[in-house]
Amino acid sequence: MSEALKTKLQTLFQERCLQDDAGVLPYESDGLTAFRSRPLVVVLPETQEEIIEVVKLCYRYDVPFVARGSGTSLSGGSMPIEGGVVIALNRMNRILHYDAAERIAVVEPGVINLYVTKKAVPDGLYYAPDPSSGPVCTIGGNVAFNSGGAHCLKYGMTSNHVLGLKVVLPNGDVADLGGESLEMVGPDLTGMFCGSEGLFGVALEVTLRLLPKPEVFKTILAAYHSLADAGQAVADVVASGLLPGAMEIMDRLAMDAAEAAVKAGYPAEAQGLLIVELEGPGEEVEAEFPKLMQVIEASGAYEIRVAKNEAERMKIWKGRKGAFSAVGRLSPDYVVQDGVVPRTKLGEALREIEKLSKTYGLRVANVFHAGDGNLHPLILYNGKLEGEFERAEELAGEILKLCVDLGGAVTGEHGIGVEKLAYLPYMYSDDDMDLMRFLRIAVDDKEIANRGKMLPSNKAPALTMHGAHPIEKQGIAFRE
Amino acid sequence: MQHNIPAEPLGAYAEPMTEAVSSCVHCGFCLPTCPTYRVMGEEMDSPRGRIFLMKEVLEGSLELDMASPYIDNCLGCMACVTACPSGVQYQDLLTPFRALAEEKRERKLMDKILRRFVLETLPYPHRFRLAAFMGQFAKPFKGLLRGRMADMLALLPERLPKGVLLPVKKIAEGETRARVALLAGCAQQVLEPDINSATLNVLAQNGVEVLIPEEQVCCGALAAHTGAMWQAKRFAKENLKAFAGLELDAIITNAAGCGSGLHEYPLWLKGEPEEEVAKTFAHKAQDITVFLSQLGIKAPPAPKQPLKIAYHDACHLAHAQGVVYEPRELLGMIPDIQVFDIADSEVCCGSAGTYNIEHPDTAFKLGQEKAQNVLATGADMVVTGNIGCMTQLRTHLKEQGIPVMHTVQLLDKLYRGEL
Ligand SMILES: Cc1cc2nc3c(=O)[nH]c(=O)nc-3n(C[C@H](O)[C@H](O)[C@H](O)COP(=O)(O)OP(=O)(O)OC[C@H]3O[C@@H](n4cnc5c(N)ncnc54)[C@H](O)[C@@H]3O)c2cc1C
Ligand code: SF4
Ligand code: SF4
């Protein structure tokens, strides 16, 4: 079956069907390099028709496929399926339609997140969801993972900004979901597709909502002697009735990394750093600002800085946004986790994580979207040391369970992918899981779209986090 | 990223090379600024992909020949280094890798001849001058030539400027505030000797004495970046000798490519007896704009007509040496001049050393894109800090007749009241 499909794809794509080692190897993993696996081929479609054709062929030959944007998934979401097809969408990067008056943009899935904003800025508009990976990740990937970012506290995640979708379903049928307006008739199918991690097919065209750029920003940076105090301050701000555009926290280790990477100039003594940004119409922000300062001053911050101009504001954000990769300067390997806890439990969660970090003897850097309780503990380890990767994963698992126990979730925005498969059932009841599987099969009876990701598949072995994975035992995927 | 690269075969290069691999976290932040990725949209032609491929070759799980085309496609522009939040020193992997690859590879005869021609000509001003001179005659027959030779000819200027014999020393005007030595550059001496003359004049005007050591040779960057490490090392060692024993405040470069080359001396000479001297030398090396902005210059007079200038960031200045602020500061001192940034300023213009000779198609696309972005600024003139970029920009802006100048040439012309 695979060979027949391969021949077909070769004829169709010629040199855009990659199959030799050098062409395929670089696609073997995504942002989570601990996992990699070998696809049958990688194809580089340049039109929607070509994508539809690939999906139809995969369906016919019963070979799984995975759509790939920029491969920045941190959960193995865009890792190839062993022996399957990778549909790399990077050449599908055109903005098809842009209407400043209607405030919409219709884009191909391979368009980079930030480029939408770049297009809209001259008209005073922007695309609100701002994952830290915005300068590189694609809209297709954002849709599949319902990605969020620092400013999603106020504006919502990707799904709140996708008005319509044209998708090719796993059986090759093309469907139009949603439309050009927020009001729609019938069930929110666009919403269902957002966050489906590629299990419902491939997005071909995405209609995005653009917002007017906030008139003014007021960004403050508050330094604390303890991380928990910074966490508490977030709860205080929200309790005061303010809704800032973003509230982000970094701990000492994350600050050190950011400092090394971009010389962000963060306070050297701080154990916890809180970034709060007010944004909106000038008058509103002016009115909110003194109130915010009052709350922050009362929260025990020992130093408060207000960005005096756009350059200072960008500097503060540059350190925050580059923090994940910057941690690469502190440790050759790390696992990024993505748990969510209720805002009021932030302080407690952070204290527990610190305890766990000590117990496991592994450093944990914390940098997170505090406003919506979305933690990103980065667990630092050295894969060269025997057993350290396993310990790191175990610690990651403990942290996820902690989040669920505190009433939260196992993922805020990075998705389940392959990495968190084992923890979904910890969060959801059997009935919930069954319903999700039911939906999946209803849309994709052959389970060919991103098989084995997000939901354990009947056709792929269930994944566990500890010890050698069944896929690894079979020599299909392996960890470096 | 984890790796199992055996250290022994890499010798002194093992440490910098493996460090670059292990500090890469595969986040992809480098992709959008990589010119080849922008043009080709495929992972193998991205920095992240190339790092992965080189790692696999070094680990022995991928044939060098298979990876080579993608490594060859790299412009060496180092935009990925600027973009990388994890601090991956890509050049520490690429330069030694190319040298190792060169030792092992089989090239086609035509490739060999072309390569040999480039390596034996460009670094030697008199040979290059002769070749370029012959090229003038060949230009009308360009139609008869195909492929790379024709592409090379297209880059030659219509007329070759007169050669200038540089003095061995230029005395400061007025009180001497500093003493420096100039690396004269090789291709630049042939294509645009005026850059050096302008440099000497601007320095002298600002009270700087300049030595031009006679024994200096090509900086070696061209050789290093095409994998001819033996030649690069030889040049580096000769230059260390040529500049030794002089009491200097700085060693000045005015071609970004050479400047970044000098900064790489410690890497090239890693494990050699000269390694320490190379470090001191590299430390002293400064781009002319950096030196001038630190020294503080006398304000240039206003041009006769107000001017709109687009400043183009040469990759080997902005990315390889991290110099973006200083040239803009100097330009900002000039009255009646408006300075514009060019959209996508971090993306290479396609010149990149000998790249436009070896990969004309990609180079052409990048050149066209850059020209479009320059035109969009509405500027009357482009100013930049590298001879390679100047040649490339002139080729692509020929129709519009927009002049292209080195930063130091602009300053010189203003001091002389010629603009
Ligand atoms: C340094 C760093 C910082 C990050 N910060 C954030 C953050 O702040 N917030 C956040 O939410 N995420 C963050 N991420 C995670 C990641 O960037 C996002 O999940 C992003 O949306 C992935 O986009 P991508 O284009 O790289 O997609 P990929 O990684 O290529 O793919 C991700 C998933 O989307 C699917 N997919 C891709 N294109 C399509 C399509 N057209 N149709 C259907 N499915 C598709 C893939 O199959 C895969 O399952 C970060 C990652 C890194 C490396
Ligand atoms: S040096 Fe330039 S061309 Fe080469 S990988 Fe880096 S960004 Fe791309
Ligand atoms: S930005 Fe740096 S760390 Fe990220 S993939 Fe590129 S080289 Fe690697």
Side-chain angles (χ1 to χ4, degrees), chain B residues 287-305:
Chain B
D287 184 72
I288 177 74
T289 56
V290 177
F291 178 78
L292 290 175
S293 99
Q294 283 178 5
L295 181 79
I297 60 168
K298 62 177 194 187
K304 295 180 186 106
Q305 306 277 332

Side-chain angles (χ1 to χ4, degrees), chain A residues 67 69-73 77-78 89 109 132-133 138 141-142 144-145 147-148 201 203 413 450:
Chain A
S70 293
T72 64
S73 155
S78 46
L89 297 165
S132 306
S133 51
T138 65
N142 291 176
F145 272 169
S147 298
E413 52 186 26
N450 220 358

Side-chain angles (χ1 to χ4, degrees), chain B residues 3 46 53 85 96 99 102 109 111 121 130 133 152 181 185 189 198 205 221 224 234 248 358 362 374 379 384 395 415:
Chain B
H3 65 81
S46 77
L53 288 175
E102 205 48 51
L109 185 64
D111 272 1
T121 313
L130 183 68
F133 186 66
M152 279 171 79
Q189 284 190 60
Q205 291 266 324
R234 207 186 73 212
L248 299 171
E358 284 159 359
T362 311
V374 167
T384 185
T395 309
Y415 282 142

Side-chain angles (χ1 to χ4, degrees), chain A residues 18 20-23 25-31 33 36 44 68-72 90-91 112 115 118 132-133 135-136 261 321-322 324-326 328-329 331-334 382-384 480, chain B residues 1-4 22-33 37-44 48-50 52-53 55-56 59 61-63 66-67 70 84-88 344 346:
Chain A
L18 312 172
D20 67 11
D21 285 349
L25 273 170
Y27 289 93
E28 283 190 357
S29 46
D30 55 18
T33 51
R36 55 190 279 201
L44 302 165
R68 181 178 158 117
S70 293
T72 64
N90 312 89
R91 295 185 182 185
I112 288 175
Y115 288 18
K118 268 196 186 171
S132 306
S133 51
V136 44
K321 299 235 163 182
F324 280 6
S325 321
R329 291 177 189 249
S331 165
D333 304 289
Y334 60 84
N382 183 351
K384 285 240 160 79
E480 296 224 285
Chain B
M1 198 164 38
Q2 279 298 336
H3 65 81
N4 295 309
S22 59
S23 55
C24 174
V25 298
H26 221 249
C27 67
F29 270 56
C30 49
L31 301 191
T33 49
Y37 182 76
R38 289 169 76 101
V39 173
M40 301 181 224
E42 53 191 28
E43 193 71 27
M44 316 74 89
R48 181 174 66 179
R50 292 192 176 109
F52 205 81
L53 288 175
K55 169 183 103 81
E56 295 287 314
E59 284 177 343
S61 42
L62 178 67
E63 296 279 334
M66 300 200 82
Y70 306 113
C84 176
S86 185
V88 171
D344 294 333
E346 74 281 7

Side-chain angles (χ1 to χ4, degrees), chain B residues 95-113:
Chain B
T95 309
F97 186 90
R98 283 190 162 161
L100 293 169
E102 205 48 51
E103 286 171 15
K104 301 216 175 102
R105 87 192 312 182
E106 288 289 322
R107 282 182 181 271
K108 288 204 208 87
L109 185 64
M110 190 56 203
D111 272 1
K112 267 195 203 157
I113 296 175

